[in-house]
Amino acid sequence: MDRSCCEVKMEIQSSLTAYKSLLESYGISGNLLGIFISLLVVVVTAVLWKLFFGGKAQRTGVLLAGLSDSGKTILFTQLISGVVKETHTSLKENEAQYIVEPNQGKTLTVVDLPGHEAIRLQYLEKYKDNARGIVFVVDSGSFQKNVKDVAEFLFQIFTDKQLNRIAPSICIACNKQDLFNSKTKTVILNQLEKELNTVRKTQSAALSSTSGGGEDSVFLGRKEEDFQFSHLSKFKIEFLECNAKPGLEESANVNLEELKMWISSLL
């Protein structure tokens, strides 16, 4: 089980006290030794603080992930420039600085990752180390027919060993809420929990039939329990509804306010 920063620090201080007593038995000055130990404790504390807490402050990436045609690129252009541009399935990433509101002057790097199945994991691998947050974009209109693919991609994200180590915040953005057949965030959450449970069983069975499998992944959720998003508390997962593109109906306006607030909360 992982130990906390305080537990590690207390263990080191206990060891140093024992060494102090040992060295004093050999006639080494207690005052000189005390100064040395104090300096060493300061250095060790600084290193531990950087190890346990400094990483997130240095990460500035907000990754837009999801299947192709989920609306990631339109969402990206809306966030960066505030305008709608015609887009097509991209085979490379889009990257730009995003000025965080209301924290004017503070920026995060938003990266729109390609959603094509053949390359999406390659680009996730490229940018994941700098991920402060991940926005997983879901097409709420076509969700029903794509739920299996969505769940499989999310499974790969949630079980990635490196992402579990750095634990970026994750937002499931239920996009295209202007469509008449769009699913609400509650429906999407419930169906994804069921589908992720199925994917977990399938993947576990596949790994058990191979030797040495699963070395770069962690178990999803809690063993012996049906999967729930609440099991992944380290990622601070949040579901929200949004609409990155104006619809044909006059009332179907762009709605990204909740998403912008979530991005602001990363700072």
Side-chain angles (χ1 to χ4, degrees):
M1 180 179 297
D2 292 341
R3 294 176 295 175
S4 68
C5 178
C6 292
E7 289 174 334
V8 175
K9 181 180 176 182
M10 290 176 62
E11 183 175 317
I12 292 174
Q13 288 177 323
S14 176
S15 299
L16 288 174
T17 300
Y19 288 134
K20 179 180 179 181
S21 299
L22 177 63
L23 292 173
E24 284 180 340
S25 67
Y26 287 93
I28 298 177
S29 170
N31 291 335
L32 181 61
L33 184 60
I35 293 173
F36 171 76
I37 289 178
S38 297
L39 290 173
L40 185 58
V41 167
V42 171
V43 172
V44 170
T45 300
V47 171
L48 289 174
W49 180 265
K50 182 177 179 63
L51 177 64
F52 282 87
F53 302 105
K56 184 175 181 180
Q58 296 174 358
R59 299 195 302 273
T60 60
V62 178
L63 310 185
L64 305 184
L67 306 186
S68 294
D69 300 321
S70 59
K72 298 188 309 299
T73 303
I74 290 179
L75 193 152
F76 172 83
T77 58
Q78 281 280 18
L79 288 173
I80 301 303
S81 62
V83 299
V84 177
K85 295 181 180 179
E86 289 300 321
T87 63
H88 52 83
T89 301
S90 178
L91 296 179
K92 66 177 183 178
E93 76 275 37
N94 297 299
E95 182 176 349
Q97 294 299 304
Y98 173 73
I99 300 176
V100 180
E101 300 174 359
N103 301 304
Q104 295 295 334
K106 295 184 178 180
T107 62
L108 292 170
T109 304
V110 177
V111 186
D112 169 27
L113 304 179
H116 192 282
E117 183 179 6
I119 59 175
R120 62 193 181 204
L121 291 182
Q122 169 190 336
Y123 280 91
L124 178 64
E125 184 72 22
K126 178 179 178 181
Y127 287 98
K128 68 182 181 183
D129 288 343
N130 190 43
R132 192 181 186 91
I134 296 176
V135 179
F136 191 95
V137 185
V138 175
D139 183 338
S140 303
S142 64
F143 173 74
Q144 197 66 51
K145 69 176 183 179
N146 292 326
V147 59
K148 184 176 184 293
D149 291 337
V150 171
E152 287 179 347
F153 193 4
L154 279 172
F155 181 86
Q156 291 168 323
I157 291 174
F158 292 147
T159 59
D160 182 276
K161 185 176 290 186
Q162 172 64 359
L163 289 176
N164 272 268
R165 188 185 72 79
I166 64 177
S169 298
I170 295 180
C171 166
I172 311 294
C174 305
N175 192 27
K176 303 186 182 182
Q177 285 293 312
D178 61 306
L179 301 179
F180 75 93
N181 60 339
S182 64
K183 304 299 181 184
T184 66
K185 64 181 181 181
T186 302
V187 170
I188 291 174
L189 184 154
N190 291 333
Q191 292 194 21
L192 277 177
E193 284 186 334
K194 294 177 182 178
E195 194 63 36
L196 279 165
N197 200 53
T198 300
V199 173
R200 182 177 67 179
K201 291 178 182 178
T202 303
Q203 292 293 328
S204 296
L207 288 176
S208 64
S209 65
T210 60
S211 59
E215 295 179 354
D216 294 324
S217 63
V218 300
F219 186 82
L220 178 69
R222 299 173 185 168
K223 294 184 178 180
E224 309 301 330
E225 292 186 33
D226 287 342
F227 172 76
Q228 297 179 25
F229 281 103
S230 60
H231 296 166
L232 305 179
S233 57
K234 68 170 63 177
F235 291 119
K236 300 179 181 178
I237 298 171
E238 181 175 340
F239 280 72
L240 58 83
E241 296 175 354
C242 65
N243 187 37
K245 184 178 180 180
L248 297 177
E249 298 293 333
E250 186 175 341
S251 60
N253 295 321
V254 172
N255 178 17
L256 296 178
E257 293 309 309
E258 194 174 354
L259 177 59
K260 291 180 179 180
M261 290 177 60
W262 181 84
I263 295 175
S264 296
S265 72
L266 296 176
L267 293 177

